[in-house]
């Protein structure tokens, strides 16, 4: 079990002091266009002339690859790989001509309509009310763009539009519109081909958020899980980290993903505009106010899930998946705050509490993610001298849950 789990750890720590940092490979984005060059940054390698980095398809044996380069004895640097066709891949780092993967990071080429999402924050707007559009899963090109158009118009026709400015997820604000039916559209790299669209209405008649019905399967559930994981991460960062501009910016980014995730579940009576409002007011809040308000939002969302009467395959509940995401995200947030030092005793206990709820959530949802065992949580070394060790283990568990949900045949249904 130890050997199997070790292969999933994303970052291998040096045995020297923290200032040498962890070995890492990183990408500027997680989704690439077919044929687009892939630039890999690496850091903290031992400095052997035959340390090497490869690109492989997910699932390939550790000593197999599609393309590779030696680091040339450099500890830190950048390598440029050729473009790949549609598919799921990972960058892998190795030491001194070995065939053992020491560090890896996944990425995807092409969206293939799996994780791309674009929609308005609410299904109905009043005339001339500002329209908030949320998007995620974009490739990250500087000229990816979002438009609002009339339904039935040609793909390259629009009423208004904005570039995403290389962002893969985020929020865009459009000016208000007169009464009528519209759709928001997503495009890649200045193309005129609609990749995703979402219908909404502008009406003077107030509309209560009604259950949308429909089936929620691996695509919707994986977006939902990723979104609430970000919500948990924000919760813990605000409670444990220094409230600096960088922390606020990180929290605001993941809260945008939380809105996208919650919007995939059409039958919740929770108003996601509450998160948008919280995000906007966050820079002016004290720590106590920020933590208390996000804590209340998390509880309110759980209540909405419980009231929704959503039924899922194999008797699992959406509330269990929500619990995994919230508390695993919170666990990462705590470990992230104390990287390069030991987690203080009070926060160790806080982390253990979150991990216990993660374990319970995985056990309750296990029939839909059979490849993820509740016992994985036991491998998180909460009392390690360096919080990077529990941090990397937590991230590894998150990746396993996300992949398992995205590949699961389980579905949930709104009443």
């Amino acid at each position: 079990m130890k050997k199997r789990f070790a292969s999933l750890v994303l970052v291998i720590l040096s045995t020297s002091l923290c200032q040498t940092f962890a070995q890492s490979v990183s990408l500027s984005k997680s989704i690439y266009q077919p044929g687009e060059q892939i630039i890999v940054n690496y850091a903290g390698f031992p400095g052997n002339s035959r340390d090497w980095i490869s690109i492989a398809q997910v699932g390939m044996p550790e000593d197999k690859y599609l393309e590779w380069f030696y680091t040339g004895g450099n500890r830190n640097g950048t390598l440029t790989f050729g473009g790949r066709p549609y598919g799921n891949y990972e960058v892998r780092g190795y030491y001194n001509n070995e065939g053992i993967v020491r560090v890896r990071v996944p990425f995807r080429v092409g969206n293939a309509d799996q994780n791309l999402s674009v929609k308005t924050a609410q299904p109905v707007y009043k005339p001339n009310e500002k329209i908030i559009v949320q998007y995620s899963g974009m490739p990250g090109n500087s000229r990816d763009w979002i438009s609002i158009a009339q339904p039935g118009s040609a793909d390259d026709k629009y009423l208004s539009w904005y570039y995403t400015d290389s962002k893969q997820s985020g929020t865009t604000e459009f000016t208000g519109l007169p009464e009528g039916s519209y759709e928001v559209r997503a495009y890649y790299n200045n193309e005129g081909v609609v990749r995703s669209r979402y219908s909404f209405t502008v009406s003077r008649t107030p509309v209560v958020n009604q259950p949308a019905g429909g089936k929620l399967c691996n695509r919707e559930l994986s977006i939902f899980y990723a979104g609430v994981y970000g919500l948990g991460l924000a919760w813990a960062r605000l409670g444990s980290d220094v409230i600096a501009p960088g922390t606020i910016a990180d929290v605001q980014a993941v809260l945008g993903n939380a809105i996208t995730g919650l919007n995939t579940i059409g039958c919740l009576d929770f108003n996601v505009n509450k998160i948008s409002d919280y995000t906007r007011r966050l820079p002016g809040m004290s720590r106590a106010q920020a933590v208390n308000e996000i804590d209340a939002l998390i509880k309110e969302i759980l209540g909405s899930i419980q009231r929704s009467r959503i039924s899922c395959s194999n008797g699992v509940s959406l509330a269990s998946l929500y619990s995994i995401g919230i508390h695993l995200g919170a666990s990462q947030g705590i470990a992230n705050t104390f990287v390069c030092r030991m987690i203080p005793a009070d926060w160790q206990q806080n982390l253990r509490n979150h991990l216990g709820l993660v374990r319970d959530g995985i056990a309750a949802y296990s029939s839909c993610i059979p490849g993820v065992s509740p016992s994985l949580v036991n491998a998180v070394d909460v009392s390690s001298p360096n919080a990077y060790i529990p941090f990397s283990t937590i991230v590894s568990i998150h990746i396993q849950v996300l992949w398992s949900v995205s590949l699961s045949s389980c579905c949930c249904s709104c009443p």
Side-chain angles (χ1 to χ4, degrees):
M1 180 63 191
K2 285 185 179 179
K3 198 169 184 181
R4 176 178 176 274
F5 186 79
S7 69
L8 296 167
V9 176
L10 301 179
V11 181
I12 308 299
L13 294 174
S14 168
T15 55
S16 58
L17 294 176
C18 185
Q19 281 75 5
T20 62
F21 296 104
Q23 288 75 52
S24 67
V25 289
S26 63
L27 300 166
S28 61
K29 52 188 178 181
S30 58
I31 305 171
Y32 290 81
Q33 289 276 43
E36 181 183 359
Q37 284 188 329
I38 298 160
I39 298 174
V40 177
N41 299 303
Y42 63 92
F45 273 62
N48 304 303
S49 62
R50 294 196 173 186
D51 293 340
W52 58 293
I53 293 173
S54 78
I55 285 180
Q57 287 182 314
V58 171
M60 273 186 168
E62 292 201 350
D63 59 348
K64 303 300 180 185
Y65 51 83
L66 299 171
E67 187 180 6
W68 68 276
F69 292 103
Y70 284 130
T71 61
N74 296 316
R75 294 178 181 273
N76 312 309
T78 301
L79 295 171
T80 301
F81 290 79
R84 311 304 315 174
Y86 277 98
N88 294 308
Y89 301 88
E90 58 186 21
V91 176
R92 299 173 172 179
Y94 306 78
Y95 298 164
N96 205 26
N97 244 17
E98 297 174 348
I100 301 170
V101 177
R102 302 290 183 163
V103 59
R104 70 183 83 211
V105 64
F107 68 96
R108 188 170 67 255
V109 174
N111 287 70
D113 296 327
Q114 291 182 16
N115 289 329
L116 175 61
S117 173
V118 61
K119 59 168 56 182
T120 53
Q122 56 194 59
V124 180
Y125 287 85
K126 297 175 183 177
N128 301 316
E129 180 183 2
K130 288 181 179 179
I131 296 164
I132 307 300
V133 173
Q134 297 141 358
Y135 61 91
S136 62
M138 297 290 280
N141 304 301
S142 62
R143 295 196 172 185
D144 293 339
W145 56 295
I146 306 288
S147 80
I148 288 180
Q150 291 179 321
S153 61
D155 276 11
D156 60 349
K157 302 300 180 184
Y158 50 83
L159 299 172
S160 57
W161 66 277
Y162 290 101
Y163 284 130
T164 60
D165 297 326
S166 301
K167 296 177 182 176
Q168 292 180 280
S169 61
T171 301
T172 300
E173 185 178 283
F174 288 80
T175 55
L177 295 163
E179 283 192 282
S181 297
Y182 302 91
E183 63 182 23
V184 58
R185 299 172 172 180
Y187 306 78
Y188 299 164
N189 205 27
N190 244 15
E191 297 174 348
V193 179
V194 176
R195 302 289 184 161
S196 181
R197 68 185 79 217
Y198 179 83
S199 298
F200 69 98
T201 303
V202 175
S203 173
R204 295 183 186 279
T205 305
V207 177
V208 179
N209 186 17
Q210 297 290 340
K215 210 166 189 181
L216 311 166
C217 294
N218 56 337
R219 178 183 179 275
E220 293 81 9
L221 294 176
S222 59
I223 295 172
F224 168 77
Y225 166 76
V228 299
Y229 182 86
L231 184 59
L233 177 60
W235 183 29
R237 285 288 300 275
L238 291 169
S240 63
D241 212 343
V242 176
I243 305 298
T247 307
I248 296 295
D250 289 347
V251 167
Q252 289 174 321
V254 296
L255 288 177
N257 294 335
I259 291 171
T260 300
L262 292 169
N263 274 332
T264 63
I265 311 298
C267 48
L268 299 182
D269 59 8
F270 176 78
N271 184 355
V272 295
N273 288 331
K274 291 183 178 182
I275 299 179
S276 298
D277 177 65
Y278 174 81
T279 302
R280 177 181 57 80
R281 295 184 294 106
L282 188 57
M285 292 185 190
S286 66
R287 182 194 296 277
Q289 182 185 3
V291 172
N292 289 339
E293 286 200 25
I294 197 170
D295 181 69
L297 287 171
I298 288 169
K299 291 176 180 176
E300 186 176 349
I301 294 166
L302 177 59
S304 178
I305 292 170
Q306 292 170 334
R307 288 191 301 272
S308 67
R309 304 190 311 279
I310 295 172
S311 60
C312 300
S313 303
N314 302 336
V316 303
S317 72
L318 189 66
S320 296
L321 185 59
Y322 178 76
S323 181
I324 298 170
I326 288 292
H327 294 289
L328 195 54
S331 298
Q332 180 183 328
I334 293 169
N336 181 84
T337 294
F338 300 104
V339 162
C340 288
R341 52 197 168 115
M342 178 180 283
I343 300 171
D346 55 341
W347 281 104
Q348 285 186 31
Q349 186 55 52
N350 194 318
L351 178 53
R352 289 189 183 94
N353 293 340
H354 283 297
L355 290 171
L357 293 169
V358 172
R359 186 187 298 108
D360 293 344
I362 292 174
Y365 204 79
S366 61
S367 61
C368 284
I369 47 172
V372 182
S373 169
S375 64
L376 290 177
V377 175
N378 300 335
V380 180
D381 187 0
V382 173
S383 58
S384 169
N386 188 334
Y388 224 125
I389 291 176
F391 171 86
S392 61
T393 309
I394 290 163
V395 172
S396 175
I397 297 171
H398 165 57
I399 294 296
Q400 290 184 73
V401 174
L402 182 58
W403 275 101
S404 295
V405 173
S406 68
L407 297 174
S408 176
S409 60
C410 286
C411 294
C412 297
S413 297
C414 291

